[in-house]
Amino acid sequence: MYSRLLLNLCERFLYRTSNSVSYSNIKTISHVANKNEEKQKVEIVSTKFPDYEVIYTFPFIKQVCGLNIVKYRFTIFVGVATPMIIGLHLASILSFDTTIVSIAAEVLTIMWLHSLGILCNNLVGYVYLKLDEKKVILSYIDYWGKRIDLKVSFNEIYPMSDNPISFTDPLYKKIILTSQTEILKINMKMGRIIDIDKFKCILGMV
C-alpha cells in the first residue's frame, strides 16, 4: 500500500516537473525568437547620409581604421627614427649591435603591419543605397586609415557573382567598379547585411 502511494506521488511529481520545464523552455525560446525578430526589424539610420538607406555594415570597421592609422604613424616613426639611429651609431653613441637590433626590430614590425594591412586595405564598412536615384555610397577605409565615401551609380558596379575565383575569397569578396581602378573589398562572413534583397540586387551576391 505504501509503495503504491509512493509510486503515485513520484509519478505526479515527475509529471508536474516535466510540464513546468517544458513551459519554461517554450517561454524562453519564444522570448528569444521575439527578441531576434525585433532585432532584425530595427532599421539602421545614418546620421551622415540621412537620405540613404543602410543595407550593409561591417561591425569591426573602427578596428580596421585604427590598425591602418597605427601602420601610417609607425611608418612615419620608422622613417624618422632610422636615420637618427644610424647617426647615433656614427657618432659612437650607439654600438653596432644595438643599431642593428633596433633597425631590424623596426623593419620586422613595419613589415608585419603592412602585411596585415593588405587585408584591411580598401575594406568596405558601410553600403548606403538611394533607390529612387539609383545611387550607392561605398564607405571604405583606405591604406592609411582614411575613410572614403565613394558615390557611384548602380550600373558602375560589376556583379560580384561574375568575379573570377580567387584564393582570397574566404577572407573577402572584391567589388569591381567600371569607373574606378581601385578594387574594394567586402567581408561577407563577419559583415551584417541589413536588406538581403537589395544587397543582392545591387552587388549581385549574398
PDB file of all heavy atoms in Angstrom, residues 4 11 16 19 35 47 56 64 85 106 110 113 124 129 141 150 160 167-168:
ATOM      1  N   ARG A   4       2.711   1.652  -3.281  1.00  0.00           N
ATOM      2  CA  ARG A   4       1.851   2.144  -4.362  1.00  0.00           C
ATOM      3  C   ARG A   4       1.590   3.640  -4.203  1.00  0.00           C
ATOM      4  O   ARG A   4       1.590   4.405  -5.179  1.00  0.00           O
ATOM      5  CB  ARG A   4       0.542   1.378  -4.358  1.00  0.00           C
ATOM      6  CG  ARG A   4      -0.368   1.731  -5.542  1.00  0.00           C
ATOM      7  CD  ARG A   4      -1.616   0.861  -5.555  1.00  0.00           C
ATOM      8  NE  ARG A   4      -1.265  -0.546  -5.720  1.00  0.00           N
ATOM      9  CZ  ARG A   4      -2.173  -1.522  -5.705  1.00  0.00           C
ATOM     10  NH1 ARG A   4      -3.454  -1.245  -5.489  1.00  0.00           N
ATOM     11  NH2 ARG A   4      -1.782  -2.778  -5.867  1.00  0.00           N
ATOM     12  N   GLU A  11       5.045   9.727  -9.586  1.00  0.00           N
ATOM     13  CA  GLU A  11       4.521   9.977 -10.931  1.00  0.00           C
ATOM     14  C   GLU A  11       3.971  11.393 -11.055  1.00  0.00           C
ATOM     15  O   GLU A  11       4.182  12.079 -12.057  1.00  0.00           O
ATOM     16  CB  GLU A  11       3.440   8.949 -11.249  1.00  0.00           C
ATOM     17  CG  GLU A  11       3.970   7.547 -11.518  1.00  0.00           C
ATOM     18  CD  GLU A  11       2.856   6.558 -11.789  1.00  0.00           C
ATOM     19  OE1 GLU A  11       1.673   6.955 -11.651  1.00  0.00           O
ATOM     20  OE2 GLU A  11       3.172   5.404 -12.126  1.00  0.00           O
ATOM     21  N   ARG A  16       4.441  16.965 -13.082  1.00  0.00           N
ATOM     22  CA  ARG A  16       4.445  18.420 -12.878  1.00  0.00           C
ATOM     23  C   ARG A  16       5.786  19.038 -13.250  1.00  0.00           C
ATOM     24  O   ARG A  16       5.859  20.117 -13.832  1.00  0.00           O
ATOM     25  CB  ARG A  16       4.123  18.722 -11.415  1.00  0.00           C
ATOM     26  CG  ARG A  16       2.670  18.435 -11.039  1.00  0.00           C
ATOM     27  CD  ARG A  16       2.419  18.706  -9.574  1.00  0.00           C
ATOM     28  NE  ARG A  16       1.049  18.424  -9.205  1.00  0.00           N
ATOM     29  CZ  ARG A  16       0.564  18.526  -7.969  1.00  0.00           C
ATOM     30  NH1 ARG A  16       1.372  18.911  -6.979  1.00  0.00           N
ATOM     31  NH2 ARG A  16      -0.710  18.247  -7.718  1.00  0.00           N
ATOM     32  N   ASN A  19       6.137  19.221 -17.026  1.00  0.00           N
ATOM     33  CA  ASN A  19       5.284  20.281 -17.571  1.00  0.00           C
ATOM     34  C   ASN A  19       5.870  21.663 -17.324  1.00  0.00           C
ATOM     35  O   ASN A  19       5.865  22.527 -18.206  1.00  0.00           O
ATOM     36  CB  ASN A  19       3.880  20.204 -16.957  1.00  0.00           C
ATOM     37  CG  ASN A  19       3.064  19.084 -17.564  1.00  0.00           C
ATOM     38  OD1 ASN A  19       3.407  18.578 -18.618  1.00  0.00           O
ATOM     39  ND2 ASN A  19       1.990  18.691 -16.890  1.00  0.00           N
ATOM     40  N   LYS A  35      12.780  38.392 -29.578  1.00  0.00           N
ATOM     41  CA  LYS A  35      13.871  39.349 -29.467  1.00  0.00           C
ATOM     42  C   LYS A  35      14.670  39.426 -30.761  1.00  0.00           C
ATOM     43  O   LYS A  35      15.057  40.502 -31.215  1.00  0.00           O
ATOM     44  CB  LYS A  35      14.787  38.945 -28.305  1.00  0.00           C
ATOM     45  CG  LYS A  35      15.677  40.063 -27.817  1.00  0.00           C
ATOM     46  CD  LYS A  35      16.374  39.665 -26.540  1.00  0.00           C
ATOM     47  CE  LYS A  35      17.216  40.820 -26.025  1.00  0.00           C
ATOM     48  NZ  LYS A  35      17.929  40.440 -24.789  1.00  0.00           N
ATOM     49  N   THR A  47      23.404  59.010 -39.761  1.00  0.00           N
ATOM     50  CA  THR A  47      23.386  60.448 -39.476  1.00  0.00           C
ATOM     51  C   THR A  47      24.182  61.231 -40.519  1.00  0.00           C
ATOM     52  O   THR A  47      23.912  62.406 -40.755  1.00  0.00           O
ATOM     53  CB  THR A  47      23.986  60.718 -38.086  1.00  0.00           C
ATOM     54  OG1 THR A  47      25.295  60.130 -38.010  1.00  0.00           O
ATOM     55  CG2 THR A  47      23.111  60.101 -37.000  1.00  0.00           C
ATOM     56  N   TYR A  56      24.239  47.498 -45.588  1.00  0.00           N
ATOM     57  CA  TYR A  56      25.336  46.619 -45.142  1.00  0.00           C
ATOM     58  C   TYR A  56      26.212  47.391 -44.171  1.00  0.00           C
ATOM     59  O   TYR A  56      26.488  48.586 -44.363  1.00  0.00           O
ATOM     60  CB  TYR A  56      26.178  46.154 -46.327  1.00  0.00           C
ATOM     61  CG  TYR A  56      27.468  45.466 -45.922  1.00  0.00           C
ATOM     62  CD1 TYR A  56      27.511  44.100 -45.672  1.00  0.00           C
ATOM     63  CD2 TYR A  56      28.647  46.200 -45.775  1.00  0.00           C
ATOM     64  CE1 TYR A  56      28.690  43.482 -45.285  1.00  0.00           C
ATOM     65  CE2 TYR A  56      29.827  45.581 -45.392  1.00  0.00           C
ATOM     66  CZ  TYR A  56      29.843  44.228 -45.151  1.00  0.00           C
ATOM     67  OH  TYR A  56      31.019  43.622 -44.753  1.00  0.00           O
ATOM     68  N   VAL A  64      39.623  48.212 -37.879  1.00  0.00           N
ATOM     69  CA  VAL A  64      40.393  48.227 -39.134  1.00  0.00           C
ATOM     70  C   VAL A  64      40.995  49.600 -39.365  1.00  0.00           C
ATOM     71  O   VAL A  64      42.165  49.741 -39.728  1.00  0.00           O
ATOM     72  CB  VAL A  64      39.485  47.823 -40.313  1.00  0.00           C
ATOM     73  CG1 VAL A  64      40.190  48.058 -41.641  1.00  0.00           C
ATOM     74  CG2 VAL A  64      39.075  46.364 -40.187  1.00  0.00           C
ATOM     75  N   ILE A  85      69.040  56.746 -35.605  1.00  0.00           N
ATOM     76  CA  ILE A  85      69.791  55.626 -35.010  1.00  0.00           C
ATOM     77  C   ILE A  85      71.140  55.467 -35.720  1.00  0.00           C
ATOM     78  O   ILE A  85      72.177  55.255 -35.069  1.00  0.00           O
ATOM     79  CB  ILE A  85      68.962  54.330 -35.111  1.00  0.00           C
ATOM     80  CG1 ILE A  85      67.749  54.414 -34.187  1.00  0.00           C
ATOM     81  CG2 ILE A  85      69.811  53.111 -34.745  1.00  0.00           C
ATOM     82  CD1 ILE A  85      66.780  53.265 -34.342  1.00  0.00           C
ATOM     83  N   GLU A 106      62.525  47.449 -36.062  1.00  0.00           N
ATOM     84  CA  GLU A 106      61.664  48.396 -36.784  1.00  0.00           C
ATOM     85  C   GLU A 106      61.205  47.813 -38.121  1.00  0.00           C
ATOM     86  O   GLU A 106      60.015  47.891 -38.467  1.00  0.00           O
ATOM     87  CB  GLU A 106      62.409  49.715 -37.021  1.00  0.00           C
ATOM     88  CG  GLU A 106      62.652  50.524 -35.782  1.00  0.00           C
ATOM     89  CD  GLU A 106      63.441  51.789 -36.063  1.00  0.00           C
ATOM     90  OE1 GLU A 106      63.967  51.928 -37.196  1.00  0.00           O
ATOM     91  OE2 GLU A 106      63.543  52.629 -35.166  1.00  0.00           O
ATOM     92  N   ILE A 110      57.347  46.898 -39.095  1.00  0.00           N
ATOM     93  CA  ILE A 110      56.698  47.597 -40.204  1.00  0.00           C
ATOM     94  C   ILE A 110      56.257  46.614 -41.280  1.00  0.00           C
ATOM     95  O   ILE A 110      55.206  46.784 -41.906  1.00  0.00           O
ATOM     96  CB  ILE A 110      57.641  48.684 -40.788  1.00  0.00           C
ATOM     97  CG1 ILE A 110      56.821  49.782 -41.495  1.00  0.00           C
ATOM     98  CG2 ILE A 110      58.650  48.123 -41.752  1.00  0.00           C
ATOM     99  CD1 ILE A 110      56.062  50.656 -40.567  1.00  0.00           C
ATOM    100  N   LEU A 113      53.019  44.979 -39.943  1.00  0.00           N
ATOM    101  CA  LEU A 113      51.877  45.893 -40.028  1.00  0.00           C
ATOM    102  C   LEU A 113      51.389  46.048 -41.462  1.00  0.00           C
ATOM    103  O   LEU A 113      50.183  46.036 -41.723  1.00  0.00           O
ATOM    104  CB  LEU A 113      52.255  47.265 -39.454  1.00  0.00           C
ATOM    105  CG  LEU A 113      52.353  47.358 -37.929  1.00  0.00           C
ATOM    106  CD1 LEU A 113      52.908  48.708 -37.510  1.00  0.00           C
ATOM    107  CD2 LEU A 113      50.993  47.119 -37.291  1.00  0.00           C
ATOM    108  N   VAL A 124      35.372  47.761 -47.154  1.00  0.00           N
ATOM    109  CA  VAL A 124      34.099  48.477 -47.065  1.00  0.00           C
ATOM    110  C   VAL A 124      33.505  48.297 -45.668  1.00  0.00           C
ATOM    111  O   VAL A 124      33.399  47.178 -45.162  1.00  0.00           O
ATOM    112  CB  VAL A 124      33.115  47.966 -48.138  1.00  0.00           C
ATOM    113  CG1 VAL A 124      31.737  48.596 -47.950  1.00  0.00           C
ATOM    114  CG2 VAL A 124      33.647  48.273 -49.526  1.00  0.00           C
ATOM    115  N   LEU A 129      22.299  53.092 -49.795  1.00  0.00           N
ATOM    116  CA  LEU A 129      21.507  52.975 -51.027  1.00  0.00           C
ATOM    117  C   LEU A 129      20.450  54.060 -51.085  1.00  0.00           C
ATOM    118  O   LEU A 129      19.761  54.335 -50.101  1.00  0.00           O
ATOM    119  CB  LEU A 129      20.843  51.600 -51.079  1.00  0.00           C
ATOM    120  CG  LEU A 129      19.810  51.367 -52.197  1.00  0.00           C
ATOM    121  CD1 LEU A 129      20.477  51.398 -53.562  1.00  0.00           C
ATOM    122  CD2 LEU A 129      19.084  50.046 -51.981  1.00  0.00           C
ATOM    123  N   ILE A 141      37.750  52.106 -45.972  1.00  0.00           N
ATOM    124  CA  ILE A 141      38.967  52.612 -45.327  1.00  0.00           C
ATOM    125  C   ILE A 141      40.148  52.373 -46.268  1.00  0.00           C
ATOM    126  O   ILE A 141      40.376  51.242 -46.700  1.00  0.00           O
ATOM    127  CB  ILE A 141      39.219  51.905 -43.983  1.00  0.00           C
ATOM    128  CG1 ILE A 141      38.027  52.091 -43.041  1.00  0.00           C
ATOM    129  CG2 ILE A 141      40.484  52.429 -43.331  1.00  0.00           C
ATOM    130  CD1 ILE A 141      37.719  53.519 -42.683  1.00  0.00           C
ATOM    131  N   LEU A 150      32.565  56.768 -51.384  1.00  0.00           N
ATOM    132  CA  LEU A 150      32.543  56.761 -52.846  1.00  0.00           C
ATOM    133  C   LEU A 150      31.109  56.604 -53.335  1.00  0.00           C
ATOM    134  O   LEU A 150      30.460  55.597 -53.070  1.00  0.00           O
ATOM    135  CB  LEU A 150      33.414  55.616 -53.362  1.00  0.00           C
ATOM    136  CG  LEU A 150      33.517  55.460 -54.882  1.00  0.00           C
ATOM    137  CD1 LEU A 150      34.189  56.691 -55.505  1.00  0.00           C
ATOM    138  CD2 LEU A 150      34.288  54.202 -55.232  1.00  0.00           C
ATOM    139  N   MET A 160      29.382  40.856 -58.174  1.00  0.00           N
ATOM    140  CA  MET A 160      30.397  40.028 -57.515  1.00  0.00           C
ATOM    141  C   MET A 160      30.293  38.564 -57.911  1.00  0.00           C
ATOM    142  O   MET A 160      31.282  37.830 -57.859  1.00  0.00           O
ATOM    143  CB  MET A 160      30.274  40.168 -55.995  1.00  0.00           C
ATOM    144  CG  MET A 160      30.688  41.521 -55.462  1.00  0.00           C
ATOM    145  SD  MET A 160      30.906  41.521 -53.654  1.00  0.00           S
ATOM    146  CE  MET A 160      29.251  41.127 -53.111  1.00  0.00           C
ATOM    147  N   PHE A 167      41.912  33.099 -54.448  1.00  0.00           N
ATOM    148  CA  PHE A 167      42.277  32.434 -53.197  1.00  0.00           C
ATOM    149  C   PHE A 167      41.943  33.304 -51.980  1.00  0.00           C
ATOM    150  O   PHE A 167      41.937  32.819 -50.842  1.00  0.00           O
ATOM    151  CB  PHE A 167      43.773  32.080 -53.199  1.00  0.00           C
ATOM    152  CG  PHE A 167      44.685  33.270 -53.128  1.00  0.00           C
ATOM    153  CD1 PHE A 167      45.174  33.723 -51.903  1.00  0.00           C
ATOM    154  CD2 PHE A 167      45.062  33.939 -54.281  1.00  0.00           C
ATOM    155  CE1 PHE A 167      46.017  34.814 -51.839  1.00  0.00           C
ATOM    156  CE2 PHE A 167      45.906  35.041 -54.222  1.00  0.00           C
ATOM    157  CZ  PHE A 167      46.387  35.472 -52.998  1.00  0.00           C
ATOM    158  N   THR A 168      41.644  34.589 -52.201  1.00  0.00           N
ATOM    159  CA  THR A 168      41.272  35.480 -51.098  1.00  0.00           C
ATOM    160  C   THR A 168      39.760  35.494 -50.833  1.00  0.00           C
ATOM    161  O   THR A 168      39.312  36.186 -49.924  1.00  0.00           O
ATOM    162  CB  THR A 168      41.729  36.917 -51.397  1.00  0.00           C
ATOM    163  OG1 THR A 168      41.127  37.360 -52.628  1.00  0.00           O
ATOM    164  CG2 THR A 168      43.241  36.999 -51.516  1.00  0.00           C
TER     165      THR A 168
END
